[in-house]
Amino acid sequence: AGGIASGGEPGGRFRQAGDQSGGGDANIDIAVRQVTVTPIRAHVGDVVRVAVVIENRDDGYQTVPLEIFANRKVVAWKQFTFGFSPADRIYRESLAWDTRGVSPGEYRIRAEVFVWGDSSLSDNFLEVKQVVLLSAPGAPFPDGAASGGSATETDPRVESRSLGDEEAALAAE
């Protein structure tokens, strides 16, 4: 069953957001398939980019929050709309984490799309295994490496070929 959305119908009537005809019979299944973080070594005050590949595995359309967490705290978010066109199955979104005012340290990055009524909540998030290391402005990194680098985490349940050009585009960034 779909969720309830307002404002889309003339006169401000409510409609079911489960499928494009306004019914609620669609099965909704969104999956976060890949997360890329750049840079993984940065200084406080730098912007860390997070690219997310999301798959719409079933029917329905909605606008829902896409959130980026650093150590369980939301650091970036945007509204994400999926399913408007039935032909669109793979979506690529990019968010920025402004690290001004953040304490130096190691940060675990997680991307999450929460959808009420999703038939499989276990694939609505993906955490990057490699941490982002933030050093104080101008300070060297503990391992002596330069700032930069990237880390990509891909959901092991998906074959890389199903991400198609999206995976190549993420790797090129």
Side-chain angles (χ1 to χ4, degrees):
I4 294 180
S6 67
E9 299 284 307
R13 290 178 283 159
F14 287 88
R15 64 171 168 76
Q16 289 287 336
D19 66 20
Q20 291 186 4
S21 65
D25 301 331
N27 182 42
I28 296 172
D29 188 7
I30 289 295
V32 176
R33 291 303 186 199
Q34 190 173 68
V35 179
T36 299
V37 180
T38 307
I40 55 168
R41 288 177 310 282
H43 290 98
V44 171
D46 292 346
V47 173
V48 175
R49 292 184 54 232
V50 182
V52 183
V53 176
I54 303 165
E55 180 182 7
N56 180 9
R57 297 177 39 96
D58 225 318
D59 300 321
Y61 73 98
Q62 288 188 38
T63 299
V64 296
L66 165 58
E67 297 175 311
I68 304 301
F69 293 82
N71 292 354
R72 299 183 183 178
K73 179 183 176 190
V74 175
V75 295
W77 75 278
K78 70 188 292 186
Q79 293 288 29
F80 165 68
T81 300
F82 65 90
F84 189 72
S85 170
D88 292 337
R89 290 292 180 193
I90 302 291
Y91 299 86
R92 186 172 153 242
E93 299 290 333
S94 185
L95 293 92
W97 172 27
D98 182 351
T99 65
R100 283 183 289 186
V102 175
S103 298
E106 293 184 350
Y107 291 87
R108 291 224 171 264
I109 304 300
R110 171 181 167 131
E112 182 173 330
V113 178
F114 181 78
V115 183
W116 282 105
D118 192 301
S119 63
S120 175
L121 293 174
S122 65
D123 59 6
N124 288 40
F125 61 89
L126 188 61
E127 187 172 287
V128 178
K129 288 184 177 80
Q130 189 169 353
V131 297
V132 170
L133 179 59
L134 287 182
S135 287
F141 293 97
D143 60 4
S147 62
S150 68
T152 298
E153 195 67 37
T154 302
D155 184 339
R157 296 169 286 200
V158 66
E159 295 180 31
S160 62
R161 72 173 194 265
S162 70
L163 297 177
D165 293 335
E166 300 300 326
E167 184 177 45
L170 285 172
E173 286 187 358

